Short mmCIF file of all heavy atoms in Angstrom, two decimals:
data_model
loop_
_atom_site.label_atom_id
_atom_site.label_comp_id
_atom_site.label_asym_id
_atom_site.label_seq_id
_atom_site.Cartn_x
_atom_site.Cartn_y
_atom_site.Cartn_z
N PRO A 12 12.87 81.38 -52.92
CA PRO A 12 11.44 81.50 -53.26
C PRO A 12 11.03 80.69 -54.50
O PRO A 12 9.84 80.56 -54.77
CB PRO A 12 11.27 83.00 -53.51
CG PRO A 12 12.62 83.44 -54.01
CD PRO A 12 13.63 82.61 -53.25
N GLY A 93 -7.20 63.18 -39.70
CA GLY A 93 -7.11 64.14 -38.60
C GLY A 93 -8.19 65.20 -38.58
O GLY A 93 -8.81 65.45 -37.53
N ALA A 98 -17.24 59.99 -36.94
CA ALA A 98 -18.22 59.44 -37.87
C ALA A 98 -17.74 59.58 -39.31
O ALA A 98 -17.84 58.66 -40.12
CB ALA A 98 -19.57 60.15 -37.70
N LEU A 111 -8.08 48.17 -40.55
CA LEU A 111 -7.08 49.19 -40.26
C LEU A 111 -7.22 49.82 -38.89
O LEU A 111 -6.31 50.48 -38.41
CB LEU A 111 -7.15 50.29 -41.33
CG LEU A 111 -6.88 49.85 -42.77
CD1 LEU A 111 -7.04 51.01 -43.74
CD2 LEU A 111 -5.49 49.25 -42.90
N PHE A 258 19.76 72.57 -49.03
CA PHE A 258 19.52 72.72 -47.60
C PHE A 258 20.76 73.30 -46.91
O PHE A 258 20.67 74.20 -46.08
CB PHE A 258 19.14 71.39 -46.98
CG PHE A 258 19.12 71.38 -45.48
CD1 PHE A 258 18.22 72.17 -44.78
CD2 PHE A 258 20.03 70.62 -44.77
CE1 PHE A 258 18.21 72.17 -43.40
CE2 PHE A 258 20.02 70.62 -43.39
CZ PHE A 258 19.12 71.40 -42.70
N ARG A 282 27.68 92.12 -47.79
CA ARG A 282 28.39 91.19 -46.90
C ARG A 282 29.73 91.80 -46.53
O ARG A 282 30.24 92.68 -47.20
CB ARG A 282 28.59 89.84 -47.59
CG ARG A 282 29.47 89.88 -48.82
CD ARG A 282 29.79 88.49 -49.32
NE ARG A 282 30.57 88.51 -50.54
CZ ARG A 282 31.88 88.66 -50.59
NH1 ARG A 282 32.56 88.84 -49.47
NH2 ARG A 282 32.51 88.64 -51.75
N ARG A 292 31.85 75.69 -41.08
CA ARG A 292 32.51 74.62 -41.77
C ARG A 292 31.62 73.39 -41.93
O ARG A 292 31.99 72.46 -42.59
CB ARG A 292 33.81 74.23 -41.05
CG ARG A 292 34.81 75.36 -40.93
CD ARG A 292 35.22 75.91 -42.26
NE ARG A 292 35.79 74.92 -43.14
CZ ARG A 292 36.05 75.12 -44.44
NH1 ARG A 292 35.75 76.28 -45.00
NH2 ARG A 292 36.58 74.15 -45.17
N LEU A 339 4.84 77.23 -23.45
CA LEU A 339 5.15 76.22 -24.45
C LEU A 339 4.74 76.67 -25.84
O LEU A 339 5.50 76.55 -26.81
CB LEU A 339 4.47 74.90 -24.08
CG LEU A 339 4.74 73.72 -25.00
CD1 LEU A 339 6.22 73.39 -25.03
CD2 LEU A 339 3.94 72.50 -24.56
N ALA A 388 11.31 57.99 -21.16
CA ALA A 388 10.70 56.69 -20.88
C ALA A 388 9.76 56.77 -19.70
O ALA A 388 8.65 56.23 -19.72
CB ALA A 388 11.79 55.65 -20.63
N ALA A 390 8.25 59.48 -18.58
CA ALA A 390 7.08 60.27 -18.96
C ALA A 390 6.12 59.45 -19.82
O ALA A 390 4.90 59.54 -19.68
CB ALA A 390 7.53 61.52 -19.71
N HIS A 408 12.91 51.70 -27.23
CA HIS A 408 14.01 52.57 -27.64
C HIS A 408 14.50 53.42 -26.48
O HIS A 408 15.71 53.46 -26.18
CB HIS A 408 13.55 53.45 -28.79
CG HIS A 408 14.49 54.55 -29.15
ND1 HIS A 408 15.73 54.33 -29.69
CD2 HIS A 408 14.36 55.91 -29.03
CE1 HIS A 408 16.34 55.49 -29.90
NE2 HIS A 408 15.53 56.46 -29.51
N ALA A 430 6.63 43.08 -34.47
CA ALA A 430 7.18 43.22 -35.82
C ALA A 430 7.16 41.88 -36.55
O ALA A 430 6.88 41.82 -37.75
CB ALA A 430 8.60 43.76 -35.74
N ILE A 440 14.53 42.03 -35.92
CA ILE A 440 15.93 41.78 -35.55
C ILE A 440 16.47 42.91 -34.69
O ILE A 440 17.15 42.67 -33.68
CB ILE A 440 16.79 41.60 -36.81
CG1 ILE A 440 16.46 40.26 -37.48
CG2 ILE A 440 18.27 41.68 -36.49
CD1 ILE A 440 17.08 40.08 -38.84
N LEU A 472 15.64 36.62 -44.18
CA LEU A 472 16.34 37.62 -44.98
C LEU A 472 17.50 37.02 -45.78
O LEU A 472 18.21 37.73 -46.47
CB LEU A 472 16.88 38.72 -44.06
CG LEU A 472 15.82 39.55 -43.34
CD1 LEU A 472 16.46 40.47 -42.33
CD2 LEU A 472 14.98 40.33 -44.33
N GLN A 555 9.58 6.04 -50.95
CA GLN A 555 8.69 5.14 -50.23
C GLN A 555 8.81 5.33 -48.73
O GLN A 555 7.82 5.33 -47.99
CB GLN A 555 8.99 3.68 -50.62
CG GLN A 555 8.69 3.35 -52.08
CD GLN A 555 7.26 3.70 -52.47
OE1 GLN A 555 6.31 3.33 -51.77
NE2 GLN A 555 7.11 4.41 -53.59
N GLY A 665 10.62 31.62 -52.19
CA GLY A 665 9.44 31.02 -52.82
C GLY A 665 9.26 31.50 -54.24
O GLY A 665 8.86 30.73 -55.13
N ASP A 722 23.96 24.38 -77.79
CA ASP A 722 25.16 25.11 -77.39
C ASP A 722 25.82 24.30 -76.28
O ASP A 722 25.64 24.56 -75.09
CB ASP A 722 24.81 26.52 -76.91
CG ASP A 722 26.06 27.39 -76.75
OD1 ASP A 722 27.14 26.84 -76.49
OD2 ASP A 722 25.92 28.63 -76.87
N PHE A 743 19.17 14.60 -54.29
CA PHE A 743 17.93 15.10 -54.86
C PHE A 743 18.17 15.94 -56.11
O PHE A 743 17.61 15.70 -57.17
CB PHE A 743 17.17 15.90 -53.80
CG PHE A 743 15.83 16.40 -54.26
CD1 PHE A 743 14.76 15.52 -54.36
CD2 PHE A 743 15.63 17.72 -54.58
CE1 PHE A 743 13.52 15.97 -54.78
CE2 PHE A 743 14.39 18.18 -54.99
CZ PHE A 743 13.34 17.30 -55.09
N LEU A 769 28.21 9.50 -64.01
CA LEU A 769 26.92 8.81 -64.08
C LEU A 769 26.93 7.45 -63.40
O LEU A 769 26.01 7.13 -62.62
CB LEU A 769 26.50 8.67 -65.55
CG LEU A 769 25.15 8.00 -65.81
CD1 LEU A 769 24.02 8.80 -65.17
CD2 LEU A 769 24.91 7.84 -67.30
N LEU A 797 24.13 3.54 -76.07
CA LEU A 797 24.10 3.73 -77.52
C LEU A 797 25.43 4.26 -78.02
O LEU A 797 25.94 3.82 -79.06
CB LEU A 797 22.96 4.69 -77.89
CG LEU A 797 21.54 4.16 -77.74
CD1 LEU A 797 20.52 5.28 -77.94
CD2 LEU A 797 21.28 3.03 -78.74
N GLN A 810 13.01 -0.33 -72.20
CA GLN A 810 11.80 -1.12 -71.99
C GLN A 810 11.44 -1.20 -70.50
O GLN A 810 10.27 -1.16 -70.13
CB GLN A 810 11.99 -2.52 -72.58
CG GLN A 810 11.99 -2.53 -74.11
CD GLN A 810 12.36 -3.88 -74.68
OE1 GLN A 810 12.99 -4.72 -74.03
NE2 GLN A 810 11.96 -4.11 -75.94
N PHE A 832 11.09 7.72 -77.76
CA PHE A 832 12.16 8.19 -78.63
C PHE A 832 13.44 7.38 -78.41
O PHE A 832 14.10 6.93 -79.36
CB PHE A 832 12.42 9.67 -78.36
CG PHE A 832 13.45 10.31 -79.26
CD1 PHE A 832 13.58 9.95 -80.59
CD2 PHE A 832 14.29 11.29 -78.77
CE1 PHE A 832 14.53 10.55 -81.42
CE2 PHE A 832 15.24 11.90 -79.58
CZ PHE A 832 15.35 11.51 -80.90
N ILE A 939 -1.92 16.99 -102.39
CA ILE A 939 -2.67 17.33 -103.60
C ILE A 939 -2.80 16.12 -104.50
O ILE A 939 -3.78 15.93 -105.21
CB ILE A 939 -1.99 18.51 -104.33
CG1 ILE A 939 -2.23 19.80 -103.55
CG2 ILE A 939 -2.49 18.65 -105.76
CD1 ILE A 939 -1.52 20.99 -104.10
N ALA A 953 -3.62 6.37 -90.14
CA ALA A 953 -2.67 6.93 -89.18
C ALA A 953 -3.22 6.89 -87.75
O ALA A 953 -2.45 6.81 -86.79
CB ALA A 953 -2.33 8.37 -89.55
N LEU A 980 -0.80 3.88 -102.03
CA LEU A 980 0.55 3.33 -102.02
C LEU A 980 1.25 3.61 -103.35
O LEU A 980 2.45 3.95 -103.39
CB LEU A 980 0.51 1.82 -101.76
CG LEU A 980 0.09 1.39 -100.35
CD1 LEU A 980 -0.12 -0.12 -100.28
CD2 LEU A 980 1.13 1.82 -99.33
#
Side-chain angles (χ1 to χ4, degrees):
L111 300 177
F258 169 64
R282 64 172 177 83
R292 301 301 303 170
L339 182 61
H408 170 67
I440 289 171
L472 296 172
Q555 295 305 311
D722 191 332
F743 184 75
L769 181 61
L797 288 171
Q810 289 173 338
F832 184 35
I939 287 175
L980 291 171

